[in-house]
């Protein structure tokens, strides 16, 4: 269900369930539920998570609880990790009272809820008046490192930072941890974005973590990502590419058209999925990988666009 929220509904909320069900589908197809983890919980790390997508779904819905429904009896630890996950010190400024809607006069200041930092009030009277509505969202606010108990078998927490850094800090192992990347853009043709993933990908491949990936289209994203993994990492495919039955509901049409085909670009979150684990040979040095990405990225931008159907 979707809970009432201050500030209305973000567009990503419409597609929120797609993130979760796509992950459940990938986990089922790779038979993660059959792993022998010797009593340890299953760690699921959602990489490249952001405040406006995966974290928002965690805070404002119970969608992620589907993990406990699909995999009953398996203790699961969900981790949302990325540079765009909210840090309490970086929460956007609040300019109006969540209870009465007024903005403060010059020289006055609103007081934030000291628990979640996501709502502000003129005074204590307004905060008390709003508590019945706000407490549902307040309990779900996800400051970094705060562990939320979603169900008796499922917890969740958020971390603002890098994937490799977090894996090492938590002491994860490939025998009890799955990486999930949603619409990462690692094959998008955007050289800066692709290079930002190079170190993280090398670590995941070298350490042989199972990685389940979803992407937003069939040309630059799916084709580009598979080419990056094959050419630069020689990654072993663990889940063959396929259409995703739980793709997002919304489709974004790009105003620009592709030069080589004249077709309009489109994007649909979690449109298709695939997975990989480990490599058939040692991966190249990171400097060689980033150099190669700079060379192939422009080509990926011109992969033929397949009209959306």
């Amino acid at each position: 269900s979707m809970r009432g929220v201050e500030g209305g509904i973000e567009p990503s909320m419409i597609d929120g369930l797609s993130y979760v069900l796509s992950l459940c589908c990938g986990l089922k197809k790779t038979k993660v539920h059959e792993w022998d983890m010797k009593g340890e919980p299953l760690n699921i790390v959602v990489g490249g998570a952001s405040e406006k997508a995966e974290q928002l779904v965690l805070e404002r819905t119970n969608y992620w609880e589907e993990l406990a429904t699909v995999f009953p009896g398996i203790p699961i630890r969900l981790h949302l990790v990325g540079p765009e996950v909210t840090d309490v010190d970086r929460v956007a400024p609040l300019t109006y009272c969540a209870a009465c809607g007024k903005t403060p006069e010059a020289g006055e200041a609103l007081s934030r809820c000291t628990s979640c930092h996501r709502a502000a009030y003129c005074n204590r009277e307004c905060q008390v008046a709003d508590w019945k509505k706000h407490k549902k969202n307040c309990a779900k606010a996800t400051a970094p490192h705060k562990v939320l108990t979603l169900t008796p078998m499922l917890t969740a927490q958020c971390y603002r930072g890098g994937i490799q850094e977090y894996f090492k800090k938590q002491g994860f192992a490939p025998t009890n941890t799955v990486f999930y990347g949603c619409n990462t853009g690692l094959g998008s043709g955007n050289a800066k974005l692709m290079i930002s993933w190079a170190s993280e990908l090398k670590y995941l491949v070298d350490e042989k973590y199972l990685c389940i990936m979803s992407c937003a289209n069939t040309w630059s994203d799916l084709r580009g990502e598979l080419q990056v993994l094959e050419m630069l990492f020689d990654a072993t495919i663990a889940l063959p590419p396929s259409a995703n039955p739980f793709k997002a509901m919304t489709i974004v049409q790009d105003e620009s058209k592709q030069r080589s085909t004249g077709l309009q670009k489109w994007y649909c979150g979690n449109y298709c999925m695939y997975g990989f684990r480990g490599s058939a040979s040692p991966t190249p040095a990171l400097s060689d990988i980033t150099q190669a990405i700079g060379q192939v990225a422009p080509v990926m931008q011109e992969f033929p666009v397949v009209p959306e159907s």
Side-chain angles (χ1 to χ4, degrees):
S1 65
M2 189 181 297
R3 298 177 174 84
V5 297
E6 296 94 353
I9 296 176
E10 296 286 342
S12 60
M13 299 301 293
I14 299 172
D15 296 323
L17 197 54
S18 175
Y19 298 116
V20 185
L21 295 183
S22 299
L23 170 60
C24 290
C25 180
L27 292 171
K28 278 286 190 181
K29 286 185 174 183
T30 51
K31 300 183 178 180
V32 171
H33 56 285
E34 296 180 3
W35 286 7
D36 180 10
M37 292 177 290
K38 305 185 185 305
E40 295 182 349
L42 172 64
N43 293 295
I44 299 174
V45 181
V46 181
S50 79
E51 174 192 7
K52 295 182 178 181
E54 298 89 348
Q55 185 177 2
L56 194 68
V57 172
L58 174 62
E59 292 180 5
R60 299 186 178 181
T61 77
N62 61 3
Y63 294 166
W64 286 108
E65 294 174 21
E66 289 298 317
L67 286 165
T69 301
V70 176
F71 302 101
I74 299 178
I76 297 175
R77 305 290 179 261
L78 177 67
H79 309 261
L80 305 186
V81 180
E84 296 179 1
V85 166
T86 299
D87 187 320
V88 167
D89 294 334
R90 298 170 182 258
V91 172
L94 296 174
T95 58
Y96 63 92
C97 175
C100 68
K102 293 181 180 178
T103 56
E105 299 290 338
E108 297 179 344
L110 298 172
S111 298
R112 288 182 183 272
C113 169
T114 56
S115 178
C116 71
H117 299 259
R118 295 293 185 99
Y121 301 95
C122 298
N123 48 48
R124 179 165 175 76
E125 288 72 24
C126 277
Q127 185 172 11
V128 171
D130 189 54
W131 177 243
K132 185 175 181 180
K133 181 181 76 171
H134 174 65
K135 66 180 179 181
K136 296 178 181 179
N137 295 323
C138 186
K140 299 279 285 186
T142 52
H145 314 300
K146 179 179 179 182
V147 178
L148 304 174
T149 300
L150 305 184
T151 76
M153 299 292 282
L154 174 64
T155 65
Q157 66 187 104
C158 295
Y159 179 79
R160 185 187 183 95
I163 296 161
Q164 184 176 171
E165 160 196 335
Y166 188 69
F167 270 61
K168 291 179 178 179
K169 185 175 293 187
Q170 293 291 323
F172 291 148
T175 53
N176 62 12
T177 305
V178 176
F179 174 81
Y180 177 41
C182 301
N183 311 301
T184 61
L186 64 90
S188 62
N190 180 328
K192 184 177 180 180
L193 177 60
M194 293 170 66
I195 288 173
S196 73
W197 275 101
S199 175
E200 312 287 26
L201 278 176
K202 179 174 170 58
Y203 174 77
L204 292 169
V205 172
D206 286 346
E207 297 299 319
K208 296 180 171 56
Y209 283 98
L210 173 63
C211 300
I212 297 172
M213 313 294 286
S214 68
C215 42
N217 57 56
T218 52
W219 73 96
S220 61
D221 279 359
L222 179 60
R223 184 175 171 185
E225 290 181 24
L226 293 174
Q227 185 168 319
V228 165
L229 291 166
E230 179 182 356
M231 290 178 55
L232 306 184
F233 297 95
D234 198 16
T236 302
I237 298 299
L239 176 63
S242 65
N244 180 10
F246 303 106
K247 66 181 181 181
M249 295 288 292
T250 57
I251 297 173
V252 177
Q253 297 281 356
D254 194 320
E255 292 183 359
S256 64
K257 293 184 178 181
Q258 193 175 47
R259 291 193 302 271
S260 59
T261 64
L263 294 173
Q264 187 176 38
K265 297 179 181 180
W266 57 269
Y267 306 89
C268 176
N270 308 316
Y271 187 78
C272 40
M273 64 191 322
Y274 68 95
F276 61 92
R277 185 171 196 171
S279 174
S281 59
T283 59
L286 183 59
S287 58
D288 294 335
I289 293 172
T290 55
Q291 182 179 6
I293 288 175
Q295 295 172 347
V296 301
V299 178
M300 291 176 179
Q301 293 179 1
E302 293 304 313
F303 281 160
V305 175
V306 178
E308 200 280 323
S309 57

